[in-house]
């Protein structure tokens, strides 16, 4: 699903030095997700994870004592080892969707499609994100956030790349 206006959408491509099966596994299994998902500098507590279409990933990002932020995925499609489609957004401790107080005009829900392709033992990740049922103000906030999303996802995938190397080396 793409927006009528492609300038709204956020797109990111990364290449990882690992086979697609391993990349997919480390992106969907709870034990792996809790090691790398989220912004740099936080730890992840998995509250609930059901990696199947219709399931959820509810998590808490901890940035230090008393600095907790919750998020939630709702999986729409899981097609191993090539595709993940999920809705992501901020949540409360119970898993209810909320507008985050630090960015109250951020879209309540963002549809994310991850497509993985493999060539020569390396995996290319294509991430496509678009706000769902967003107001004009939320769309503008999302568009204005592309730069910080580039940094945030970039930092997260930098950490993921390090984590992936340890998993790959442990299997060798």
């Amino acid at each position: 699903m793409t927006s009528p206006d492609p300038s709204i959408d956020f797109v990111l491509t990364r290449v990882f030095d690992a086979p697609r099966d391993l990349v997919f596994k480390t992106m969907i299994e709870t034990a792996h997700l809790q090691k790398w998902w989220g912004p740099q500098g936080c730890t992840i507590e998995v509250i609930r994870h059901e990696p199947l279409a219709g399931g959820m990933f509810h998590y808490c990002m901890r940035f230090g004592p008393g600095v907790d932020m919750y998020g939630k995925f709702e999986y729409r499609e899981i097609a191993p080892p090539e595709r993940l489609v999920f809705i992501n957004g901020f949540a409360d401790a119970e898993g209810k969707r909320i507008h985050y107080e630090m960015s109250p005009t951020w879209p309540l829900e963002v549809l994310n499609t991850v497509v993985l392709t493999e060539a020569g033992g390396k995996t290319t990740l294509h991430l496509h994100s678009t706000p769902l049922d967003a107001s004009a103000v939320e769309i503008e906030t999302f568009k204005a956030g592309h730069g910080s999303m580039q940094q945030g996802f970039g930092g997260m995938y930098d950490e993921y790349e390090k984590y992936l190397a340890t998993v790959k080396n442990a299997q060798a």
Side-chain angles (χ1 to χ4, degrees), residues 80-94:
E82 63 203 37
R83 187 173 159 92
L84 287 171
V85 181
F86 58 93
I87 298 169
N88 194 19
F90 293 106
D92 64 16
E94 288 74 45

Side-chain angles (χ1 to χ4, degrees), residues 68-84:
D68 295 347
M69 185 185 317
Y70 295 88
K72 182 173 82 169
F73 290 9
E74 293 167 4
Y75 290 107
R76 282 203 170 168
E77 180 185 342
I78 298 176
E82 63 203 37
R83 187 173 159 92
L84 287 171

Side-chain angles (χ1 to χ4, degrees), residues 15-139:
V15 178
F16 300 109
D17 186 15
R20 181 169 73 165
D21 286 341
L22 181 60
V23 171
F24 189 88
K25 176 181 177 174
T26 56
M27 290 190 166
I28 196 70
E29 291 182 2
T30 307
H32 295 293
L33 269 173
Q34 68 188 10
K35 304 276 189 193
W36 66 268
W37 178 259
Q40 285 180 313
C42 79
T43 57
I44 295 291
E45 176 192 345
V46 177
I47 298 165
R48 183 173 166 194
H49 189 221
E50 305 156 335
L52 50 93
M56 78 159 63
F57 173 37
H58 180 212
Y59 54 95
C60 177
M61 297 174 279
R62 294 213 158 89
F63 295 92
V67 185
D68 295 347
M69 185 185 317
Y70 295 88
K72 182 173 82 169
F73 290 9
E74 293 167 4
Y75 290 107
R76 282 203 170 168
E77 180 185 342
I78 298 176
E82 63 203 37
R83 187 173 159 92
L84 287 171
V85 181
F86 58 93
I87 298 169
N88 194 19
F90 293 106
D92 64 16
E94 288 74 45
K96 180 182 172 223
R97 284 269 184 244
I98 62 166
H99 284 283
Y100 180 55
E101 63 189 36
M102 299 289 279
S103 185
T105 59
W106 189 259
L108 197 58
E109 296 183 321
V110 177
L111 178 66
N112 296 278
T113 301
V114 174
V115 176
L116 303 173
T117 55
E118 184 177 353
K122 295 182 187 252
T123 301
T124 301
L125 172 144
H126 300 280
L127 170 67
H128 182 263
S129 302
T130 191
L132 288 179
D133 301 320
S135 69
V137 169
E138 291 169 336
I139 287 170

Side-chain angles (χ1 to χ4, degrees), residues 128-155:
H128 182 263
S129 302
T130 191
L132 288 179
D133 301 320
S135 69
V137 169
E138 291 169 336
I139 287 170
E140 288 308 311
T141 301
F142 186 81
K143 287 168 61 173
H146 283 190
S148 64
M149 290 171 68
Q150 187 75 37
Q151 287 182 320
F153 277 109

